[in-house]
Amino acid sequence: MASVASVTLLSEAEFGCEHLATQLAHAGSTANQFKNSFLKTHNALAPHPITAEMIGENNTSSRAYSLLRPKYTCLTCSEACTPSSRNKHTEKTGHSFFMESRNRALYCQSCEDLIYDHGLERLRSSSSENTIKVAQKRRFSESSADELYVRSNANRRLCAKAGARGLYNLGQTCYMNVILQTLLHDPILTTYFLGNGHPHHHDCQIPDCIGCAVAEAFADFNSTEKVEGFAALNLLVATWRGSATLAGYHQQDAHEYYQFLVDKLHATTDGHQENHEKGCPCFFHKTFYGKLRSSVTCDKCGNVTRTEDPMVDLSLDVQVQAKKRAMGGSGPSSPPTLTGCLESFTSPEKLMAGVYNCTSCGDTPQKATKQLRIKKLPAILCMQLKRYEHTFSVSEKLEGRIDFPLSINMLPYTTNPHPLTDRSRYVYDLSSAVVHKGKLDAGHYYAYCRQGDRWMLFNDDQVTPATEADVLSADAYLLFYNIRSLAGAPPK
């Protein structure tokens, strides 16, 4: 934890840049006028939901592009500038400070970068717009541990961006694009990669390192003002060299690619453990990996055999609900649901004699009951809705919507049955939904990702605003949920 002394030594980082430090160091009305202008511009740029009327039925793509393009409001004269006209405005007027429209970050034209100042951030959080929100959270104070950490670890030239950029399709690479977009929009992973969690590629000794390729994608996505798409070429090359199955310009399964990517990220982390049963302390294991418990109970003697296995996702059988529906179980108008899939996944299942040998019954075949439960939940929970069914004669894909919520409580599906358990610790929020359109061997992937308080549709390099209704009505194949509170996450 940073000390007061270390904060004092890093006073330059405290102001974001030397130009802002000079501006705020002015005595009297000059500094106060700057702060008042900062607050006035901040409140004027308060975000408003993007509606269909704003986008318009005609020229939708160009209008959406315009909404995503950042504007910069001068804090001195309130003139709105584009990124290309900002420098001309500064040369003409001498005004150096602007506020970016998308996340209302402070921009210094002299530094040509976004900057951070802890005092202005306190001023921002104390404005009338955020009074109610701030009252519900911990307030920063001069001596708070959070602020000391931010002030002592802030870079003087902080690069940051809160935009939405697509990914170019490099030849049937939509499966890679949707998974990468999901990772790029995850706040936990953003903090890790932008905080130099992975060693710099010059220092990394792993050939064709997937971690380096993903870190490069995070840097490209977050460190430029460009709004056009970019290509994750190094990640594709590292993927091809890391997996013969994924190599080449062929249609691939996004779920299999997610499993491959998580496994490779785990393997490229310093101090990771190959044996998951021993418990790995690395970042990716804690973030992506959970644990499943399988309990088999002998129907004759009641003996219970338990085994635990690592899990990187939950594969939920949608076909079971579809068949029940076809047999009149829940009516033809009722679509399958995510909660129904989870209930089926964790429900007891009868095992016939010959499948299970009971040690308490002399190691003889016995009928038994098997049940799966989640022993440990990861911070990022991926759930696959199994739309594909393969038999000896035919392979089929289940089309149609499967109901899923924006938030879900995972407690009922865990091994923690205690009635006094804090249910709020098991709440997950939807962060991304991956959709597959088309046939098994000739389809296309796109993804809905949460961008702050809004949703965006990422179809390779095409990015358009979306609504919650668009997301919830999608024929999702993969769902990604994030734990709502890391501080209150379930125990291991």
Side-chain angles (χ1 to χ4, degrees):
M1 185 56 64
S3 65
V4 176
S6 65
V7 171
T8 304
L9 291 174
L10 293 170
S11 59
E12 188 175 58
E14 170 184 341
F15 290 102
C17 73
E18 62 270 26
H19 311 102
L20 181 60
T22 302
Q23 180 73 29
L24 296 177
H26 284 297
S29 60
T30 303
N32 291 333
Q33 186 176 358
F34 180 87
K35 294 178 181 177
N36 290 334
S37 177
F38 176 87
L39 272 183
K40 180 180 177 181
T41 307
H42 174 270
N43 294 335
L45 293 176
H48 301 284
I50 299 177
T51 63
E53 290 76 16
M54 293 172 62
I55 297 176
E57 295 182 359
N58 298 323
N59 201 20
T60 301
S61 60
S62 62
R63 178 58 176 153
Y65 177 87
S66 176
L67 288 170
L68 293 174
R69 188 173 180 82
K71 300 291 191 303
Y72 292 82
T73 301
C74 176
L75 293 186
T76 305
C77 65
S78 300
E79 180 176 336
C81 302
T82 63
S84 59
S85 66
R86 221 176 28 228
N87 188 47
K88 293 182 180 178
H89 180 78
T90 299
E91 291 177 351
K92 179 181 178 181
T93 63
H95 304 161
S96 298
F97 298 102
F98 301 81
M99 187 168 289
E100 194 256 7
S101 60
R102 291 179 297 192
N103 65 354
R104 295 180 285 179
L106 187 60
Y107 189 94
C108 176
Q109 184 60 37
S110 299
C111 292
E112 295 185 344
D113 208 345
L114 296 168
I115 57 177
Y116 169 87
D117 173 69
H118 73 281
L120 292 178
E121 286 302 311
R122 279 204 314 278
L123 196 64
R124 182 206 302 266
S125 66
S126 300
S127 65
S128 58
E129 175 194 345
N130 293 323
T131 300
I132 298 177
K133 292 182 180 180
V134 173
Q136 297 172 346
K137 301 178 181 179
R138 280 184 301 157
R139 290 180 178 272
F140 279 142
S141 66
E142 285 291 335
S143 60
S144 74
D146 299 79
E147 185 175 13
L148 288 174
Y149 180 84
V150 171
R151 290 169 60 185
S152 60
N153 289 277
N155 293 320
R156 189 169 62 87
R157 293 286 304 280
L158 177 66
C159 290
K161 169 183 169 290
R165 300 182 66 193
L167 288 161
Y168 291 119
N169 194 314
L170 303 175
Q172 297 198 59
T173 57
C174 57
Y175 69 93
M176 179 184 76
N177 288 351
V178 291
I179 298 302
L180 182 55
Q181 283 288 6
T182 296
L183 302 189
L184 290 172
H185 285 84
D186 187 277
I188 300 174
L189 299 176
T190 299
T191 301
Y192 176 84
F193 282 107
L194 296 189
N196 298 319
H198 186 80
H200 193 276
H201 69 275
H202 293 302
D203 302 322
C204 184
Q205 303 299 317
I206 302 174
D208 300 315
C209 177
I210 289 289
C212 289
V214 174
E216 180 187 52
F218 270 88
D220 286 344
F221 184 79
N222 288 279
S223 63
T224 177
E225 295 175 5
K226 295 180 180 179
V227 294
E228 67 270 15
F230 68 102
L233 180 59
N234 286 341
L235 179 58
L236 181 63
V237 172
T239 296
W240 285 5
R241 291 176 176 173
S243 171
T245 304
L246 295 173
Y249 295 102
H250 308 292
Q251 178 74 29
Q252 302 290 351
D253 181 28
H255 177 236
E256 293 180 1
Y257 184 71
Y258 172 74
Q259 293 177 321
F260 161 82
L261 198 59
V262 169
D263 181 66
K264 289 297 183 181
L265 287 173
H266 173 259
T268 58
T269 306
D270 291 338
H272 76 279
Q273 297 286 340
E274 293 291 348
N275 190 342
H276 292 275
E277 295 180 0
K278 294 182 179 180
C280 179
C282 85
F283 168 82
F284 291 111
H285 191 276
K286 294 177 180 179
T287 302
F288 289 112
Y289 287 87
K291 190 175 291 185
L292 272 179
R293 172 182 287 178
S294 174
S295 301
V296 180
T297 304
C298 177
D299 290 351
K300 181 178 180 180
C301 70
N303 178 58
V304 180
T305 303
R306 294 187 177 91
T307 57
E308 294 180 356
D309 297 294
M311 71 171 196
V312 74
D313 55 62
L314 292 175
S315 291
L316 306 176
D317 193 348
V318 184
Q319 305 283 353
V320 172
Q321 287 199 52
K323 291 173 182 176
K324 286 182 179 179
R325 214 170 66 251
M327 296 172 62
S330 58
S333 62
S334 176
T337 65
L338 178 63
T339 54
C341 292
L342 287 167
E343 289 169 1
S344 297
F345 182 80
T346 55
S347 294
E349 173 190 1
K350 290 294 184 181
L351 301 179
M352 300 305 295
V355 177
Y356 170 72
N357 292 340
C358 179
T359 54
S360 296
C361 296
D363 203 26
T364 57
Q366 299 292 338
K367 293 182 179 181
T369 302
K370 179 181 178 180
Q371 186 173 25
L372 291 174
R373 288 277 175 175
I374 303 172
K375 173 66 182 302
K376 175 182 175 291
L377 283 160
I380 300 175
L381 177 59
C382 171
M383 289 187 270
Q384 178 205 25
L385 303 176
K386 296 169 64 176
R387 292 180 173 272
Y388 311 118
E389 185 175 40
H390 304 282
T391 64
F392 290 107
S393 58
V394 67
S395 293
E396 296 178 323
K397 177 188 174 186
L398 176 67
E399 300 285 358
R401 185 168 60 89
I402 300 165
D403 281 342
F404 55 92
L406 290 173
S407 299
I408 188 169
N409 195 306
M410 294 298 295
L411 178 60
Y413 317 109
T414 67
T415 58
N416 194 344
H418 199 286
L420 298 180
T421 300
D422 184 2
R423 293 179 60 85
S424 64
R425 300 173 66 185
Y426 294 81
V427 176
Y428 281 73
D429 296 311
L430 183 68
S431 60
S432 179
V434 173
V435 180
H436 178 269
K437 285 294 184 184
K439 300 179 181 179
L440 291 175
D441 55 351
H444 179 66
Y445 288 101
Y446 57 87
Y448 293 93
C449 297
R450 188 189 294 273
Q451 182 84 21
D453 294 331
R454 300 172 180 172
W455 286 93
M456 295 289 177
L457 169 60
F458 294 88
N459 188 352
D460 287 334
D461 59 312
Q462 298 179 16
V463 183
T464 53
T467 65
E468 288 186 356
D470 295 330
V471 178
L472 295 177
S473 62
D475 298 344
Y477 171 52
L478 297 175
L479 297 171
F480 292 86
Y481 285 85
N482 276 43
I483 188 74
R484 178 171 294 179
S485 173
L486 284 173
K492 298 180 181 180

